[in-house]
Amino acid sequence: MKRAMEDSQNRLLAFLGTVKTLGLYLSNARDVMAPVFREVGVNYFEVSYLQLEGLLADNLEEVLTQQSNESSHYSYILYLTLREFKGLAIHTSESAQEKLRLTQYHLSFKNMVNVWISLATQRYKDGVMKATTQFE
């Protein structure tokens, strides 16, 4: 059981790293490569974004269904990272945006929201308790 939890957490961390790397790659593609390809009539950023966004969408549900509460911190970071990645879609055309598959990515995290709230509440209470003990 512990091995399975470690494997799912490692998979989540690998997926998180992939999303971060792809976001950096796409930012570079938008700023550096797209102007070069635009000269020959190719929207490099849009083509790249659509392809990579589809691959992430294919794997997101599988990665999240294997997560436990112990991985909730990383799943929250993944949520924020996907939000950043999704923000890059503003650099695509309206017709391309209609093809995007991560438009409702936030719904994939709905089961984790209660865990995130519980963790935040507990950390807040711990912080308050620690602060009050310092003044005693």
Side-chain angles (χ1 to χ4, degrees), residues 61 64-65 69 72 75 106-116:
E61 287 298 324
L64 290 179
T65 56
N69 289 349
S72 61
S75 63
H106 59 282
L107 297 177
S108 300
F109 293 90
K110 68 181 178 182
N111 293 334
M112 296 178 195
V113 172
N114 288 334
V115 175
W116 296 342

Side-chain angles (χ1 to χ4, degrees), residues 1-134:
M1 179 71 171
K2 184 177 179 181
R3 172 98 168 133
M5 285 180 17
E6 287 175 0
D7 288 346
S8 69
Q9 186 168 340
N10 287 340
R11 188 169 180 164
L12 175 66
L13 290 172
F15 190 74
L16 174 60
T18 299
V19 175
K20 285 182 178 182
T21 301
L22 293 178
L24 292 172
Y25 164 78
L26 286 168
S27 293
N28 185 51
R30 179 194 64 214
D31 299 337
V32 178
M33 300 298 293
V36 174
F37 279 87
R38 196 173 300 124
E39 291 180 14
V40 293
V42 175
N43 191 336
Y44 182 78
F45 175 80
E46 188 168 289
V47 170
S48 298
Y49 186 86
L50 286 172
Q51 185 68 31
L52 296 173
E53 190 263 359
L55 292 171
L56 291 177
D58 287 342
N59 292 286
L60 177 61
E61 287 298 324
E62 183 181 344
V63 169
L64 290 179
T65 56
Q66 298 174 1
Q67 298 312 306
S68 63
N69 289 349
E70 288 76 24
S71 302
S72 61
H73 172 73
Y74 297 116
S75 63
Y76 184 67
I77 294 171
L78 176 60
Y79 169 80
L80 296 174
T81 305
L82 282 169
R83 187 173 69 179
E84 285 180 34
F85 182 90
K86 183 72 177 102
L88 293 170
I90 64 169
H91 302 289
T92 61
S93 65
E94 285 184 27
S95 62
Q97 289 181 21
E98 292 172 4
K99 298 174 187 173
L100 297 177
R101 296 174 45 210
L102 282 176
T103 55
Q104 300 289 319
Y105 74 96
H106 59 282
L107 297 177
S108 300
F109 293 90
K110 68 181 178 182
N111 293 334
M112 296 178 195
V113 172
N114 288 334
V115 175
W116 296 342
I117 291 170
S118 295
L119 285 173
T121 302
Q122 188 57 48
R123 287 184 180 159
Y124 173 76
K125 287 178 181 177
D126 292 347
V128 169
M129 292 301 292
K130 183 177 180 181
T132 57
T133 58
Q134 289 178 349

